[in-house]
Each structure stands twice: as C-alpha cells, then as structure tokens.
Amino acid sequence: MAKVAGVGSLVVDVTAYAPHLPVHGETTVGTMFRMGPGGKGSNQITAAHRAGAEAVIISKVGNDFMSEIMLDHYKKEGMTTRHIKTADGVSTGAALIEVDEKSAQNRIIIIKGANDKITDTDILCAEDDFKTCDAVITQLETNIDSVAECMRMAKKYGKPFILNPAPFQKIPEEIIKNADYITPNETEAEFFTGVHIENAADAKKAAAVFIEKGVKNVIITLGKSGVYYTDGKTEIYLPAIKVKAVDTTGAGDAFNGAFAAAIAMNFEIGDALRFANAGGALSVTKLGTAPSVAYKKDIYDLVLKEYGINPEKKYE
Ligand code: ADP
C-alpha cells in the first residue's frame, strides 16, 4: 500500500457556539459545546489515510487527558500512533474556538503546546517510515526546526516533499525552495509572494514567484473557485466541483491529505489534482474538520462522475 509520512500537529479543538461572542468582561450563554481531534497535521494525515494511503504522523502530545482524545482518534481510524511521543511540562495542542452562530464568524486561540517540542531525535525514530514511504507531507503548525528536519528526511530518501505552508509565517527560504509541491491557499500564497490573489490569473503570478524561489510544483487552492497548478511550464486550472457547501472549514486539509495520497499512489499530476479537488469538495458538504473528511470510495465515485476517469482502473 502506498505510504504517506510526515511531521504534523495534533490539536484538540474545543468549540463553543453562541448567539453572539462576548465582549471583554462579558459572559455569554452558549448553545453547544464540542471537543474533538484536530490540527492541520492530524487532519491532513487522517485525510491521506481515508483517501487510501497508509498514513504515519510524527508528532507529540502532552502528558494530560487531552492526549487521549488524539490517541483515541488514531485507534478508531485504525492508524498507527507509533511516532506520537509524549512531552512533559507542556499541554497537548489545543484550539479554543468560539463560533458566532448568526454570522458564522469565529475567533480562535491556538495553544501549540507539545507541537512546539518535536526534536530531531523524535524524527530520527521515524527514519524507517521516511525510507519506506512514497510521499512526505508537512505544515507549519509544529516548531519550524521539525519542519526543516522533515524536509531533510524527505530529501535524504528522495521522496516527494509536499509543503502546506499554513498557518503562514516567516520560514527559512531553504524549506520553500526544497518543496517538490507547495500547496498554499490564496492568503498564504499572498503572504509568501506579495501577490494579492482574487482569480486564477493572480494565482498564476503568485505561482511564478514560488517557481522563481525553486519550488518544483505550485498548487494554489482558491476555495470555491477551485485550484490552480503550474510547474513553470505547464498549467492546470480546475474549477471547484459544484456541491452543496455546509461548512468549508478544513477543506484545505481534506484537499492536502487526498493530494498526498494521490502523489504516493503515483497518480499523474492532473489526476492527483482531480482527486484532491474531489476530496476538498466532499469535505465541505459535511460539518466539522476531521469528521467531514471523505473516504477513497466516495472520492473515486466523484472523480468518475465529474471527470469520467476511473482512478482504480488506471492506477491499481
Ligand atoms: P483552505 O481551507 O486551506 O482555505 P480552500 O478554501 O482553498 O483551502 O479549499 C481547498 C480546496 O477545497 C479547494 O481548492 C477546492 O478543491 C475545495 N473547496 C473549497 N471550498 C469549496 C466549495 N465551496 N465547493 C467545492 N469545493 C471546495
């Protein structure tokens, strides 16, 4: 089975829904509370698993009850936790999310906790998985040293290195230039290139800046406007697949996980983008992030319906 490996964040999402968000000093009575597994790394590696790859996350939790929420999630999914280490003295990553039910606006505080404590030794423990995997994916929600080390592992074993540069922040150029695939959304692409993006033509300009930096393949996700791709020579634009959007949070994670799985399964780039576009579209039809991620069969069905391509026949 094709394998995806990568350093990624584990974050417990703690969400409160209320008719309005409190101002300083105010207490608002909310209507609903949810607590569950999240984090860009976890969501993407889970999406890669559901999309049909063996998926291995290298990460860290705190020595607290919240770690159980993350570990239980992996057990339920039937995924390995062999490279999830425990750090003392810090909490498991947590996101405190407040949602205004009327406007659907939210406010989020992220505590990175153990996600900031991933060491080179932790990553070295997973060396065998880097050696035997087919694609490596990482994001910017763990300490940047761990992102760099993940990149070095991918390079050491000649594995395609997929960088989802989120949440955006300044990082060493070395990490960007070594990306075989970079997958920013519009805001992230603007941060790294200085090009404001409103349409595919703007995405093309931003992508050229990444290519100039040394990135091999640029994929800019454009939300309900789809996705733009270039390797500097050829380009592909796919409109978003028309679906009934219920909740778009986590669409990027679903897209990235499916994309990593497709690259690991050796799909040619156009098919990998179609597969990921379908994965992203399916995720917006359901509430939540982790729970809304689609399974391979549903992605295959949508790819066949939308593009007339049967990836199963073509690649398996
Ligand atoms: P992020 O969640 O990182 O901001 P995007 O919003 O760009 O990422 O969405 C990622 C991908 O998910 C898009 O490129 C597209 O494939 C899919 N997607 C997002 N929103 C929709 C939508 N409303 N309808 C269909 N597909 C969508």
Side-chain angles (χ1 to χ4, degrees):
M1 188 188 244
K3 177 153 85 179
V4 175
V7 171
S9 54
L10 300 175
V11 177
V12 175
D13 287 339
V14 181
T15 313
Y17 298 82
H20 75 270
L21 300 185
V23 295
H24 293 296
E26 184 190 350
T27 300
T28 304
V29 176
T31 50
M32 194 169 51
F33 175 78
R34 281 221 177 107
M35 182 150 86
K40 287 179 189 297
S42 184
N43 292 343
Q44 293 182 21
I45 212 80
T46 302
H49 161 76
R50 289 195 181 177
E54 181 190 346
V56 181
I57 193 164
I58 296 102
S59 193
K60 220 160 196 173
V61 287
N63 199 352
D64 53 22
F65 81 96
M66 290 195 306
S67 63
E68 292 304 318
I69 293 173
M70 295 312 309
L71 295 170
D72 276 358
H73 164 73
Y74 284 86
K75 273 179 216 129
K76 276 190 202 127
E77 291 286 332
M79 297 170 70
T80 181
T81 55
R82 64 177 171 267
H83 298 307
I84 301 179
K85 301 276 194 285
T86 305
D88 284 323
V90 283
S91 72
T92 298
L96 310 186
I97 309 171
E98 299 175 339
V99 183
D100 181 326
E101 289 169 324
K102 286 213 183 86
S103 66
Q105 302 279 11
N106 59 38
R107 275 200 316 224
I108 304 175
I109 298 179
I110 284 227
I111 307 295
K112 289 176 78 182
N115 292 299
D116 246 348
K117 304 283 176 203
I118 301 171
T119 63
D120 288 2
T121 314
D122 298 333
I123 297 172
L124 202 61
C125 287
E127 184 155 14
D128 260 358
D129 279 304
F130 283 102
K131 207 185 286 180
T132 54
C133 76
D134 303 283
V136 172
I137 186 164
T138 194
Q139 311 78 21
L140 306 180
E141 212 169 42
T142 59
N143 48 315
I144 297 304
D145 287 350
S146 71
V147 175
E149 192 55 24
C150 179
M151 178 270 286
R152 280 182 217 114
M153 279 288 182
K155 294 289 134 179
K156 181 171 178 187
Y157 294 106
K159 307 298 179 179
F161 175 59
I162 305 165
L163 178 65
N164 175 233
F168 62 77
Q169 60 200 276
K170 218 172 161 345
I171 55 169
E173 283 294 314
E174 190 205 355
I175 299 176
I176 296 179
K177 94 169 185 231
N178 275 299
D180 294 298
Y181 300 90
I182 200 163
T183 60
N185 66 12
E186 293 144 298
T187 329
E188 290 140 12
E190 177 170 349
F191 175 81
F192 288 102
T193 65
V195 178
H196 179 66
I197 300 176
E198 287 194 354
N199 50 43
D202 299 332
K204 182 177 178 151
K205 283 185 212 143
V209 179
F210 280 121
I211 297 284
E212 189 65 26
K213 287 175 189 276
V215 177
K216 289 203 186 67
N217 298 273
V218 182
I219 292 125
I220 301 180
T221 62
L222 305 166
K224 62 178 177 349
S225 301
V227 59
Y228 173 83
Y229 162 85
T230 186
D231 61 358
K233 294 186 254 345
T234 55
E235 54 182 352
I236 298 171
Y237 168 71
L238 296 178
I241 298 174
K242 285 203 172 48
V243 289
K244 198 164 171 289
V246 174
D247 177 3
T248 59
T249 46
D253 291 341
F255 180 98
N256 274 282
F259 182 74
I263 292 298
M265 294 190 282
N266 229 357
F267 282 23
E268 54 191 61
I269 186 69
D271 290 340
L273 293 168
R274 288 178 196 105
F275 187 78
N277 205 30
L282 286 170
S283 83
V284 308
T285 63
K286 286 193 190 146
L287 277 181
T289 48
S292 73
V293 164
Y295 287 89
K296 181 174 165 185
K297 188 189 170 304
D298 298 324
I299 305 179
Y300 272 7
D301 286 350
L302 187 57
V303 169
L304 183 61
K305 182 169 157 251
E306 196 64 27
Y307 303 112
I309 292 167
N310 184 340
E312 200 166 10
K313 262 200 190 141
K314 203 166 161 186
Y315 296 102
E316 287 182 21

